[in-house]
Each structure stands twice: as structure tokens, then as C-alpha cells.
């Protein structure tokens, strides 16, 4: 959100509880909404250039991700917004040819249901006729600073020379807004890491 605001965009943040959103910026509108409600998605998104969904969920509520995916796709169509950026997760990225990270012993077992739910949601977005882009993060997003220097990939988990897969939250946001401004991965997935 801050990256888009810093670049001069008008941003509408959709939150579950408006009282928990304490940040205030000149170009920021905060509205309460339920992303599982197609009519609310359509109404809120009407007139916008793009939708960026960073919907998260908790363990035990993984099925929400598929409901949200269907709601966002249909809501976007009704609103007339065709550009959709989805902030996904890293489990479905490959660590070797045909081997997803979530299918290895290194992937945290408690996170596998969430990774599977994200993979199902990814299928829903990818089957839509919207101009979607799915951005899978590296294994770890860490607090840091914006450097503007990172590597970009498609379906493979990016590792550095120490076999770490990381990026700062600030650079991850920059990569997402870069894709909004200059679409390169239309109807495709990409990932970023140092």
C-alpha cells in the first residue's frame, strides 16, 4: 500500500475492521468490506484501474481462499476491472524440476494445508479471463528497506548463494507495483527474491 501511495496512486484499502487501520495518507481511502461477498467486491472496485489482493487466512480456515478467489474474479468482472494482481505464497514454487517446495520435507508441515489452499486459489485465478498476475513471494519476507535490487523468476523458488530465499517487505511491494505499472507477467506467475 505504501509503495503505491509513494508513487502517487490513489489507493482504496479494503479491510475487515476499519478501526484497526490507523495509518492515514492523503491518497488513501479505507473501507470495510467482505471479500467473500461478490456484490461488495464489485461495488468497491468499480472505477478502479487494478485490484491487488493480499488476502490472508489462518490455519483451519484455508477453504476461505477458494471462496475469495471466486468472489474476486466475479466481482472484478462485474466492476469492469480487468487487471488483477494476487499476492500468493511460495509453497507451490518448484525447488527442482517437477518438485514443489510444499512437497518436500523442508517445507513446514503445519503450513501444507495453507499452501494447498493457495494452489487451488491460483488455479481459479489462472482459469479466469481477467488480466491476472500471481506473485509468489520467496520463502521469507523480512522487515528491511527498499533497495530496488532483486531477482525475478517464474515458477522456481529463488535461492541466494547461502540457499536462502528472502526479500524485504519493501522490495516485495516494489516488485508488485512495478508489475502494475509495466505488466510483464500477464496471465502468468512470477516470484522475486534476493
Amino acid at each position: 500500500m505504501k509503495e503505491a501511495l509513494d508513487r502517487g496512486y490513489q489507493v482504496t484499502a479494503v479491510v475487515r475492521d476499519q478501526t484497526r487501520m490507523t495509518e492515514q495518507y492523503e491518497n488513501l481511502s479505507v473501507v470495510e468490506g467482505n471479500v467473500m461477498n461478490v456484490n461488495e467486491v464489485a461495488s468497491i472496485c468499480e472505477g478502479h484501474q487494478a485490484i491487488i489482493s493480499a488476502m490472508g487466512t489462518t490455519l483451519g480456515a484455508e477453504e476461505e481462499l477458494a471462496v475469495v478467489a471466486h468472489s474476486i474474479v466475479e466481482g472484478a468482472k462485474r466492476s469492469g476491472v480487468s487487471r488483477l494482481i494476487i499476492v500468493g505464497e511460495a509453497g507451490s514454487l518448484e525447488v527442482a524440476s517437477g518438485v514443489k517446495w510444499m512437497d518436500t520435507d523442508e517445507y513446514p508441515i503445519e503450513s501444507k494445508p495453507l499452501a494447498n489452499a493457495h494452489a487451488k486459489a491460483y488455479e481459479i485465478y489462472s482459469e479466469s479471463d481477467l488480466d491476472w498476475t500471481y506473485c509468489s513471494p520467496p520463502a521469507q519476507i523480512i522487515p528491511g528497506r527498499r533497495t530496488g535490487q532483486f531477482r525475478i523468476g517464474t515458477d522456481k523458488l529463488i535461492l541466494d548463494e547461502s540457499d536462502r530465499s528472502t526479500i524485504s517487505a519493501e522490495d516485495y511491494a516494489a516488485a508488485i507495483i512495478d508489475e502494475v505499472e509495466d505488466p510483464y507477467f500477464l496471465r502468468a506467475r512470477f516470484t522475486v527474491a534476493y
Side-chain angles (χ1 to χ4, degrees):
M1 176 182 71
K2 186 166 181 334
E3 179 71 23
L5 291 166
D6 287 348
R7 295 194 199 189
Y9 289 101
Q10 179 70 38
V11 175
T12 301
V14 182
V15 297
R16 293 176 185 170
D17 180 0
Q18 200 169 4
T19 62
R20 297 179 69 189
M21 185 72 166
T22 58
E23 298 170 287
Q24 295 182 353
Y25 299 94
E26 183 178 335
N27 290 337
L28 175 65
S29 301
V30 180
V31 297
E32 282 188 18
N34 179 355
V35 293
M36 291 188 270
N37 182 309
V38 174
N39 293 328
E40 284 189 37
V41 171
S43 175
I44 291 168
C45 294
E46 191 171 337
H48 288 75
Q49 286 183 298
I51 299 168
I52 300 173
S53 174
M55 166 67 183
T57 191
T58 57
L59 292 174
E62 295 88 359
E63 71 283 346
E64 287 181 351
L65 290 175
V67 175
V68 168
H70 284 294
S71 179
I72 288 175
V73 167
E74 184 59 31
K77 289 178 184 178
R78 290 185 193 177
S79 72
V81 179
S82 64
R83 187 68 175 117
L84 176 60
I85 309 280
I86 304 301
V87 178
E89 70 88 54
S92 61
L93 291 170
E94 291 185 349
V95 292
S97 181
V99 179
K100 295 177 181 177
W101 182 37
M102 66 183 180
D103 294 332
T104 67
D105 291 339
E106 288 76 34
Y107 193 80
I109 194 161
E110 67 275 4
S111 297
K112 286 188 181 191
L114 192 54
N116 284 319
H118 272 284
K120 287 177 186 169
Y122 172 68
E123 289 176 21
I124 294 165
Y125 295 118
S126 66
E127 291 168 358
S128 79
D129 57 359
L130 298 172
D131 289 331
W132 60 272
T133 299
Y134 192 89
C135 184
S136 287
Q140 188 177 34
I141 299 175
I142 54 175
R145 61 185 181 87
R146 186 187 189 285
T147 68
Q149 302 295 315
F150 42 81
R151 293 179 291 154
I152 299 173
T154 54
D155 294 316
K156 293 191 177 176
L157 188 69
I158 299 173
L159 301 172
D160 65 15
E161 60 281 350
S162 301
D163 286 338
R164 291 176 303 187
S165 177
T166 64
I167 196 167
S168 71
E170 294 80 0
D171 275 336
Y172 189 55
I176 291 168
I177 302 303
D178 286 350
E179 177 63 21
V180 171
E181 290 183 344
D182 187 17
Y184 188 80
F185 296 98
L186 284 176
R187 299 185 181 185
R189 171 175 41 191
F190 78 104
T191 186
V192 294
Y194 295 131

